Amino acid sequence: MLKPEDILDEVDKRLYKISEEVKFPLPKEDKKKIKEMLDYLKKSQIEEIAEKLNLRPGMGLSAVQIGILKRYFVIVEEITTEKDKEQKFKNYIIINPKIISHSEEIIYSEVGEGCLSVNRDVEGIVPRYARTTIEAYDEDGNKFEIRVREELSIAFQHEIDHLNGILFTQRIINDEQTKNTMRAI
Ligand code: NI
């Protein structure tokens, strides 16, 4: 199982490198890592477990954040509704992603973006496309398209940035005038 100390901190130079395209078939080792990454994120979103294991809650994790410079990431989205007795999650495994189109509308997360590699509070906001269409591959090498919006669109863009060696801290803006042209979510 992944531990918090397996996740690289923002001072680590590897986080600023461009990750390499994945070649299929995907090695077993990467499939195992993907499972561990999903498991880590899910646990981090379940309060009792997160507290016990001392995990900061996270929604997305890119391979580079655990020192694997390959173009893949995972996202665990909580989809619990009022009807559910326990928390429910949806997993996304995204390999060699490309943004093929996006909205003109720009949004930002009002509470600010977070990152498991950034262990401090960061002031300011990060502009992101409100809707994004991404082409990617699954673990078996099948190509698919996914359209994401709002929070999920932010998460996908955040993770694609990781694959290109960019942290959200590098995209921060603090200018009120620019901020007023975007929609807060
Ligand atoms: Ni991140």
Side-chain angles (χ1 to χ4, degrees), residues 90-153:
K90 185 171 180 189
N91 292 342
Y92 298 87
I93 298 167
I94 306 292
I95 302 172
N96 293 343
K98 276 195 184 73
I99 294 178
I100 53 173
S101 66
H102 59 76
S103 62
E104 282 195 26
E105 189 188 16
I106 304 287
I107 56 172
Y108 63 89
S109 166
E110 199 150 32
V111 292
E113 277 183 38
C115 179
L116 292 173
S117 293
V118 180
N119 295 293
R120 63 187 168 98
D121 282 330
V122 179
E123 289 283 320
I125 60 152
V126 186
R128 302 288 190 188
Y129 302 122
R131 295 166 296 282
T132 320
T133 303
I134 289 128
E135 182 185 278
Y137 293 82
D138 67 16
E139 284 183 293
D140 300 316
N142 303 309
K143 198 195 262 194
F144 65 95
E145 243 180 66
I146 180 169
R147 187 159 188 264
V148 287
R149 52 207 308 275
E150 306 292 304
E151 192 187 10
L152 208 49
S153 177

Side-chain angles (χ1 to χ4, degrees), residues 14 22 29 37 53 57 67-68 71 118 136 139 141 162 167 176:
R14 284 172 286 180
V22 170
E29 184 56 24
M37 289 159 74
L53 300 175
I68 301 168
R71 302 186 76 82
V118 180
E139 284 183 293
H162 272 304
L167 294 188
E176 283 299 318

Side-chain angles (χ1 to χ4, degrees), residues 168-181:
F168 82 94
T169 52
Q170 295 167 278
R171 290 204 186 275
I172 291 280
I173 61 155
N174 272 309
D175 160 45
E176 283 299 318
Q177 231 172 350
T178 315
K179 195 171 158 178
N180 288 339
T181 65

